[in-house]
Amino acid sequence: MLTPRLDIARSNRSVVTLGKVQREALDELKDRIATGEMRFVHLDCPVCGGGSLSPVATRDRYGVACTTGVCTDCGLMQTNPYPDASSLDWFYANIFARLHRGTTSPSTARFEGRRGLAHEVVGWLRQNGVPASGLAVDVGCASGGFLQGLVDNGYTGIGLEIDADYAADARSRGLDVRLSTIAGLAEAGEAVLVSYVQVLEHIVGVNDELAALRARLSPGALVFIEVPGLTSVPTMYNKDVLRLLQLAHVWHFTPESLGNLMAKHGFETVAITPYVRGLFRVPLETPATPPMRIETIAQVRERIARLERARLLYWRTWAIKAKAVLKRVLGRSH
Ligand SMILES: [Zn+2]
């Protein structure tokens, strides 16, 4: 049984208010799915390798038809089946920026937002053992906002970015950003910190990514990861679990599942918050693999139900609804 709001059969209306550019992108995406040109393939769970899922949603925040399921073996929530490689290339080239940001050009507001995030987390990183200076490498750095925040705090910063427009924008801001995947880490030099900020949830081949990362790091190296997930809904998504769900996010981590995945690649967890912000380290000696922290389907479903109850008690839920209704009414009168 699905929570009714997460079921496309009940409604395919977006819970996010969209502008014109966003609505056009959404229509193109829905058409592509309806005609079957967007091909979806089954993925095995990247944490435990399992292939069995229990569905919890059949739509995303925009009302796009896609299935979110929970791995019946380890509890990782995931968008699965997922667009195949060429469908996903089309999605990122044509839809993603227009739908999510309403623009295809890098924005200063977003840059400053990410810069502020770095200022917010740097104290926490240092409390947990990250040196106060040295080389910091941000992977998937976009315009370099987070990187700039690290530089502001005394680090030498290098960014890796695969989108040429974003890399150029970052360079125009005076940052050292290289057009590269994680493969560019070796050339960057010995980093005291490697970061992935809201990046890992987009990477289908997350095991290849983490294996490549691990291979390029020395014992003692530290990795900061921030990803959205069920436990970050109360602070990040106006307490609405439906706002978390989007086709662009293939994995929805919790502190438990992210810890499981990192342990699989030989990283130990230094600290992790419900947000989900984690600091991981390459151990000095090969550690015994810690036991997997399994989440059951019942636990995940209860978490979703609890979030839905909290949403209904949250004043902003009703303020957002009232604003959307008002906008529709005013829109009609023009
Ligand atoms: Zn699993």
Side-chain angles (χ1 to χ4, degrees), residues 2-13 57-60 63-66:
L2 298 179
T3 304
R5 282 182 73 244
L6 308 188
D7 190 350
I8 190 106
R10 186 170 182 256
S11 166
N12 70 347
R13 180 179 274 174
T58 51
R59 58 162 290 175
D60 77 353
V64 170
C66 57

Side-chain angles (χ1 to χ4, degrees), residues 44-53 70-78 257 260 292 294:
D44 284 338
C45 176
V47 173
C48 73
S52 159
L53 292 159
V70 176
C71 173
T72 56
D73 294 318
C74 77
L76 176 66
M77 200 164 101
Q78 48 199 280
S257 55
N260 288 339
M292 251 214 250
I294 306 274

